Amino acid sequence: MKVKVSHLQIVGIAICCLAILTGIIFGILTKCSYLKLTQDKSSISNAALFMDEDMANALDYQYSEINLDSAKYELDRYSYAFRVKCIDAQPCYHCMKFTVNVIDTVKGDIDEKGNSIVVYQWLGFDKYTETELAFNSPDFSMPLKIGREYLIFAEKRDYYIDYQKTLPGNEYSLGLMGMCPTAFVIDDTQEDYADISTDKVYSDIEDLYYLCFSQKALDNINKASNELISYYCE
C-alpha cells in the first residue's frame, strides 16, 4: 500500500530535518568554543566573579559559626571520607573533575587506600560571553588545588556495572557544602580572605581554600578545619 506524501508534508519534514541539523551544528560549535575557553589558562584566570555584599555577609556568618560538633553532625551523613592528594583537574560542564590519589580511607565500605579515584565537584567555569568565562559555585565552595592534600567527604557514583568495568577506578561526588565545607586542606593554611570590593576575577581568589571575607571568619574556619582533621585523620 502506497502512502502519498503531500508537498506540504515534504516541506514540513525538510524544515524539521534542517532544524535538527542546525541544532547539532550549534551544539558542536558551542562545545568546541567552551573547550577552547576552558583550555586557555588566561580565560580561567580572568573568569568573572559575581559576588555581592549580601552573599559575603551570609558566608562570613556561616564560617564564623562552624564548630567541631556542628561540622561532625553534617559530615557524618556522608558514606565516604578520604585523605587524598589532588593530582589533576579538568573543567567539565557545570562541574570539575579531579583525579586524586587516596592516602587513606577514613570512612566507607570500600578501601581505596593507594588507589587513584575520580572526584566530581559541583562548580566550574561557564561561558559568560563568546570570549569570556564566569566562575560558578552554587554552594560557594572552592575547587580542589592540584598538589594539595585534603580530607574530603563524598558519595560514590553508582554506574551501570558494564560501564563501571570500562573505568580505571571508582568515581565519587564531593559532598555539597551546607554550613561547613566538605573538603578541608591538610598540608596548608589559608592566610588571606576575599575582598568583595576588589576581587573581580577568578585569579583574585584562586589561592583560597575557603571563600570567606573577614579575619574572624578565616580564623574560625582554620580552627575548625584543624580540629576536624585531627578528629578524623589522627
Side-chain angles (χ1 to χ4, degrees):
M1 179 180 177
K2 290 185 178 181
V3 178
K4 293 184 177 180
V5 180
S6 68
H7 177 71
L8 184 60
Q9 288 174 315
I10 293 174
V11 172
I13 292 171
I15 292 174
C16 288
C17 290
L18 181 61
I20 292 170
L21 181 61
T22 301
I24 292 172
I25 294 172
F26 179 77
I28 292 172
L29 292 175
T30 299
K31 182 178 180 181
C32 290
S33 175
Y34 173 77
L35 290 174
K36 184 178 179 180
L37 280 173
T38 54
Q39 290 170 357
D40 181 0
K41 291 184 179 180
S42 64
S43 294
I44 296 289
S45 295
N46 291 313
L49 302 179
F50 296 101
M51 306 188 299
D52 59 35
E53 190 171 347
D54 288 341
M55 182 205 80
N57 290 335
L59 282 174
D60 265 12
Y61 175 79
Q62 179 174 315
Y63 278 119
S64 297
E65 294 297 306
I66 296 172
N67 59 54
L68 180 60
D69 290 336
S70 65
K72 282 169 50 186
Y73 179 81
E74 283 195 4
L75 298 173
D76 282 344
R77 69 185 179 183
Y78 291 102
S79 303
Y80 294 89
F82 302 107
R83 180 172 181 167
V84 303
K85 182 174 183 178
C86 183
I87 59 174
D88 186 58
Q90 178 183 342
C92 299
Y93 186 66
H94 286 323
C95 69
M96 291 288 291
K97 177 182 178 181
F98 299 97
T99 302
V100 301
N101 288 337
V102 180
I103 299 170
D104 196 17
T105 298
V106 175
K107 175 186 177 182
D109 58 5
I110 301 175
D111 186 5
E112 298 280 14
K113 184 176 181 179
N115 295 337
S116 290
I117 61 173
V118 166
V119 177
Y120 290 92
Q121 189 177 9
W122 188 35
L123 50 69
F125 300 90
D126 299 334
K127 282 188 71 175
Y128 175 45
T129 69
E130 284 303 310
T131 58
E132 295 176 302
L133 293 172
F135 175 62
N136 180 29
S137 179
D139 67 348
F140 303 108
S141 59
M142 291 295 292
L144 303 183
K145 309 289 191 290
I146 295 175
R148 289 302 180 193
E149 292 184 15
Y150 290 87
L151 167 65
I152 65 170
F153 294 82
E155 294 291 347
K156 187 176 181 296
R157 297 169 73 98
D158 292 322
Y159 295 133
Y160 179 61
I161 188 169
D162 288 340
Y163 175 68
Q164 179 65 56
K165 291 177 181 178
T166 68
L167 302 176
N170 290 320
E171 298 190 346
Y172 295 81
S173 292
L174 186 68
L176 295 176
M177 186 172 78
M179 286 299 294
C180 73
T182 53
F184 300 89
V185 65
I186 293 176
D187 59 345
D188 198 13
T189 300
Q190 183 168 315
E191 297 181 353
D192 298 315
Y193 50 87
D195 186 334
I196 196 69
S197 63
T198 60
D199 295 342
K200 302 301 181 184
V201 296
Y202 181 68
S203 59
D204 294 330
I205 64 168
E206 64 180 338
D207 293 332
L208 303 183
Y209 304 108
Y210 314 109
L211 189 55
C212 54
F213 298 84
S214 70
Q215 191 66 50
K216 178 183 177 182
L218 176 60
D219 289 343
N220 192 63
I221 186 57
N222 281 337
K223 178 177 180 290
S225 176
N226 289 335
E227 291 175 344
L228 285 162
I229 291 166
S230 295
Y231 179 81
Y232 285 103
C233 297
E234 297 178 3

